[in-house]
Amino acid sequence: MTVSGERRAWGWVAHLRDGGTTPWAAWHGEGTREGVYLPGAQQLELLRRLHLAAASQGRRPSPRLVERVVEASAPGRGTPDLELVGATDESPFGPRPVDPADLPDAELTRVATSLLAEDLVASGARRPPEVPPLVRPWRTRYRLVGDPWLADPAREAMVARGRPPGGRGSVVVVVGRDVASMVADAWTSRCFDEGALPWREWLDPFAAGHRLPPRVDLERAAATWARQVGAVRVRVVLDPSALPRLVGVRRALPQPPALAADAVDLARQVAAVLGLLVLPEQRADLLRHTLLPRLLDAPGPPLRLPAEHAAWATQRAVRMRDRMLRAGYAVHGDPDLLVPRPDAVAPAGASGPTDAGVLALAVRLLLDETKEAPR
């Protein structure tokens, strides 16, 4: 590292710590060394973006957040923090120094997700109620399967009402909706449970193999349970208004939350970091009950099936509908509801979550944690 380059770099670090937003390429001041190593380029650029976002809201990130960003790591890269171009002599080994402004948004999101995961762990998982609800002995015996994004909140609400699933003679309720939406639901559910591959990396193999994700293959689920309990005790529910009666309650059951595609992808990336910090059960609890409520008002379009996969989804829906009707399962709702709706398919050229959108949302969540007064 040259002396002038080192002084310039430390001057930029001090500038950013003090709330500055000047890009590295435009910075010409100097400063003194404040540590053993310079912070990584991705950490410093994330800090600059945080200052820009905060300034647009008339505030500044908290001093604590500033220091956390400077000292953060970038999980998932498998390589050292990136150095500033012009601040160090290039080495034939390792990654080359970079201009932070040229970094892809995904590099900055890696740092942000590390901080968000730490915040979730520090906040703690949702505690179960001190007094469990009274289990009603006269309750309807049921099992709730199918689309996990539909079934999970309904099942959780039933347990909270003292009506857990299972028991002798249970009716198996297979819930679903149009195939395009269910495919998006399957990925969303995985993102909030254990993490997943990126949307297209996860989706494209299913379409190429002419198959559906297992948890939203309603016909397969119905057939599996029919072999165990008989087809007469299997109910396929495509009309959400029919579900409460089938599980023995009068009040409506909660519908799945509607989330922006960028919000789902941010949860996916946070889940990967949480997997290194907590056990799987706690990870799912933190994602669903601590992170998810903070994502409900995130801007952006919902996750929708790419246009090029619409024909595949329609073909799968028709096949599923015909097989379930031939098997004689009781279907609540029009079987044609399985066919993808036009609004469940993205316009041509749309690609789901975007790196820029995910980063902007991560920055917003980090700033939400600050308690600094307005300027």
Side-chain angles (χ1 to χ4, degrees):
M1 181 184 294
T2 64
V3 174
S4 59
E6 179 181 7
R7 289 175 178 169
R8 177 181 168 226
W10 282 113
W12 193 53
V13 172
H15 169 71
L16 295 178
R17 276 185 160 135
D18 194 41
T21 59
T22 303
W24 167 242
W27 177 255
H28 301 293
E30 293 187 347
T32 57
R33 176 186 289 271
E34 298 181 13
V36 178
Y37 300 106
L38 277 166
Q42 60 271 58
Q43 286 87 345
L44 295 173
E45 181 63 14
L46 174 62
L47 180 56
R48 192 178 76 85
R49 302 283 187 96
L50 281 165
H51 286 314
L52 288 169
S56 69
Q57 303 170 22
R59 57 187 178 129
R60 294 181 63 170
S62 68
R64 176 176 176 272
L65 177 58
V66 169
E67 292 308 310
R68 288 181 66 211
V69 173
V70 169
E71 298 171 3
S73 61
R77 297 186 69 255
T79 55
D81 291 337
L82 301 173
E83 296 180 319
L84 299 173
V85 66
T88 181
D89 296 326
E90 289 195 22
S91 168
F93 307 102
R96 302 182 67 177
V98 298
D99 181 338
D102 294 336
L103 286 171
D105 290 332
E107 282 289 345
L108 309 184
T109 301
R110 294 181 200 276
V111 181
T113 54
S114 175
L115 299 172
L116 290 171
E118 291 173 359
D119 288 341
L120 288 176
V121 174
S123 69
R126 185 198 58 168
R127 295 182 179 179
E130 294 183 3
V131 180
L134 178 66
V135 175
R136 304 172 188 274
W138 59 87
R139 70 191 186 280
T140 299
R141 278 15 182 212
Y142 71 93
R143 293 184 185 277
L144 199 52
V145 300
D147 183 330
W149 201 238
L150 298 176
D152 292 351
R155 187 187 306 108
E156 185 172 304
M158 289 292 290
V159 171
R161 298 180 192 181
R163 299 172 183 270
R168 186 182 298 275
S170 294
V171 172
V172 178
V173 181
V174 185
V175 295
R177 50 182 169 180
D178 73 275
V179 165
S181 295
M182 288 199 296
V183 171
D185 288 347
W187 186 70
T188 299
S189 183
R190 283 186 64 93
C191 290
F192 281 92
D193 282 338
E194 60 196 71
L197 291 171
W199 169 232
R200 294 303 298 263
E201 291 182 34
W202 177 87
L203 169 65
D204 291 348
F206 286 112
H210 301 286
R211 56 194 177 92
L212 288 172
R215 291 194 68 184
V216 296
D217 189 337
L218 305 188
E219 189 275 331
R220 177 179 175 181
T224 298
W225 280 103
R227 288 192 292 270
Q228 299 181 45
V229 303
V232 71
R233 280 166 48 194
V234 174
R235 309 283 189 272
V236 178
V237 178
L238 304 177
D239 178 1
S241 67
L243 181 58
R245 177 177 57 83
L246 291 172
V247 296
V249 296
R250 294 182 180 179
R251 284 182 292 159
L253 291 168
Q255 295 299 301
L259 296 171
D262 292 334
V264 180
D265 196 61
L266 179 60
R268 175 187 71 82
Q269 297 187 53
V270 172
V273 186
L274 278 177
L276 305 175
L277 304 176
V278 298
L279 295 174
E281 182 178 354
Q282 186 182 10
R283 171 174 58 183
D285 196 32
L286 289 169
L287 290 167
R288 286 186 178 252
H289 299 110
T290 304
L291 179 62
L292 192 152
R294 299 179 60 196
L295 298 174
L296 293 177
D297 62 347
L303 184 68
R304 290 180 288 186
L305 196 73
E308 62 265 32
H309 292 331
W312 160 73
T314 299
Q315 181 187 51
R316 293 293 93 190
V318 170
R319 175 173 173 157
M320 183 188 298
R321 177 198 64 193
D322 294 347
R323 284 189 163 191
M324 288 196 300
L325 291 176
R326 284 198 301 268
Y329 306 123
V331 178
H332 298 263
D334 186 348
D336 286 338
L337 290 172
L338 289 167
V339 177
R341 310 184 319 269
D343 62 352
V345 178
S351 57
T354 65
D355 289 343
V358 174
L359 174 60
L361 180 55
V363 165
R364 193 183 87 169
L365 293 187
L366 289 173
L367 290 175
D368 284 347
E369 292 299 304
T370 67
K371 305 300 182 183
E372 286 288 298
R375 291 179 179 177

